[in-house]
Amino acid sequence: MALPDSGISGEEVPFPEIIELNVGGQVYITRYSTLTSVPDSLLWEMFSQKSTKGLARDTKGRFFVDRDGFLFRYILDYMRDQQLVLPDHFPERGRLQREAEFFNLPELVKLLAPKISKQNSLGDEGCQSDPEDSSPGIDTARNLGSLGAAAAACASLVPGAMDGKRSGFITIGYRGSYTLGRDSHTDAKFRRVARIMVCGKTSLAKEVFGETLNESRDPDRPPERYTSRYYLKFTFLEQAFDKLADAGFHMVACNSTGTCAFAHEQTDDKIWTSYTEYVFYRE
């Protein structure tokens, strides 16, 4: 909690040395000196005030910032020593650059900006293909005259956009619930899907689902690794099936389990919960 600002001299500040932040639901604990390490930044302005009255707080008294809580850890890392260190194959450079602009960190924005090589082709920041997906024909981008044309060429070099797509498995899973009445054939109220989960190789999942893939639970997974923590931003199974079919996948197996979670004593209605998986493969 912040200290009261009454009777504070000009050299003192109304903040403790250790400060708790709630950024988009993610809790961070850091030093006051870290938050004020970059002059004229948004955090510097927030915590250089003589009073805490104008700062938003959550229900536990932590200072609240309504931004991406997962990307804020890279903002905080940068403010500790003014250096940018990101994981290999980091897929969120564009979003992190937007966060740096919001927090008014111009030097970090420059570090995150896409770089253009002498051949007028994008650096690895502009094309998020896997290392094993890189084509030896990268010299074809040398004579492109604009950034947009270079980006298009970079995308065209990914095998996923050509005939030689890589083989692999993707598993789609969901937990659902449904209600059965006395006449199970006529009163069934079918599935309610809360979340569709995606398991498989990171690069394949990103290729198939693109921007509809929520990576917040496993944001730093390299493209050659596997994950079971991704899920989709929509809840329609048929939409997921359509995307897989468009990418050349076909279903090879499925399984499901069901458990009666609740039974109403008077109406005989039963609420069942289930978990279902569909396994897709592309040759």
Side-chain angles (χ1 to χ4, degrees), residues 4-15 32 48-50:
D5 57 348
S6 58
I8 295 178
S9 66
E11 299 297 327
E12 295 178 341
V13 293
F15 298 96
Y32 170 81
S48 295
Q49 303 179 31
K50 295 182 180 181

Side-chain angles (χ1 to χ4, degrees), residues 38-43 67-68 71-76 78-79 84 86 90 92-113:
V38 181
D40 298 323
S41 66
L42 177 63
L43 293 171
R67 297 300 294 183
D68 191 310
L71 293 178
F72 183 74
R73 56 176 161 171
Y74 303 111
I75 299 292
L76 198 58
Y78 172 79
M79 297 192 70
L84 176 63
L86 296 176
F90 183 68
E92 304 288 352
R93 293 187 75 99
R95 293 178 58 191
L96 183 57
Q97 183 179 358
R98 185 175 61 185
E99 295 299 303
E101 293 171 351
F102 174 83
F103 287 103
N104 196 20
L105 299 169
E107 294 302 319
L108 180 57
V109 173
K110 292 179 183 179
L111 292 173
L112 290 167

Side-chain angles (χ1 to χ4, degrees), residues 133 155-166 204 207 246-247 282:
D133 290 341
S156 69
L157 295 176
V158 179
M162 304 169 62
D163 292 335
K165 295 181 179 180
R166 290 180 303 162
L204 285 180
E207 174 198 334
D246 291 341
R282 182 174 67 188

Side-chain angles (χ1 to χ4, degrees), residues 72-256:
F72 183 74
R73 56 176 161 171
Y74 303 111
I75 299 292
L76 198 58
D77 283 344
Y78 172 79
M79 297 192 70
R80 290 187 175 109
D81 51 19
Q82 279 72 64
Q83 293 184 3
L84 176 63
V85 180
L86 296 176
D88 294 337
H89 314 293
F90 183 68
E92 304 288 352
R93 293 187 75 99
R95 293 178 58 191
L96 183 57
Q97 183 179 358
R98 185 175 61 185
E99 295 299 303
E101 293 171 351
F102 174 83
F103 287 103
N104 196 20
L105 299 169
E107 294 302 319
L108 180 57
V109 173
K110 292 179 183 179
L111 292 173
L112 290 167
K115 298 178 182 179
I116 304 178
S117 67
K118 294 181 180 180
Q119 293 81 17
N120 287 335
S121 60
L122 288 176
D124 58 353
E125 297 93 340
C127 182
Q128 297 296 338
S129 60
D130 299 349
E132 64 266 30
D133 290 341
S134 300
S135 169
I138 193 66
D139 291 340
T140 58
R142 290 182 177 178
N143 296 323
L144 295 177
S146 66
L147 182 63
C154 183
S156 69
L157 295 176
V158 179
M162 304 169 62
D163 292 335
K165 295 181 179 180
R166 290 180 303 162
S167 62
F169 289 88
I170 290 181
T171 299
I172 300 297
Y174 77 92
R175 288 183 174 84
S177 64
Y178 53 92
T179 303
L180 292 178
R182 294 182 178 180
D183 186 349
S184 61
H185 296 287
T186 59
D187 295 339
K189 301 175 183 179
F190 285 101
R191 66 170 187 257
R192 182 183 63 188
V193 179
R195 177 176 292 179
I196 300 176
M197 290 159 285
V198 179
C199 307
K201 198 170 188 177
T202 300
S203 57
L204 285 180
K206 292 180 179 180
E207 174 198 334
V208 174
F209 297 107
E211 293 298 323
T212 63
L213 188 69
N214 193 320
E215 306 171 38
S216 60
R217 296 174 60 197
D218 200 1
D220 302 330
R221 180 69 61 174
E224 72 276 8
R225 300 291 296 277
Y226 290 81
T227 181
S228 61
R229 298 179 61 83
Y230 288 167
Y231 62 93
L232 300 179
K233 297 178 181 179
F234 54 83
T235 58
F236 298 101
L237 284 170
E238 292 76 13
Q239 186 175 352
F241 294 165
D242 285 342
K243 287 183 173 294
L244 285 160
D246 291 341
F249 286 80
H250 61 276
M251 188 186 302
V252 295
C254 66
N255 66 82
S256 181

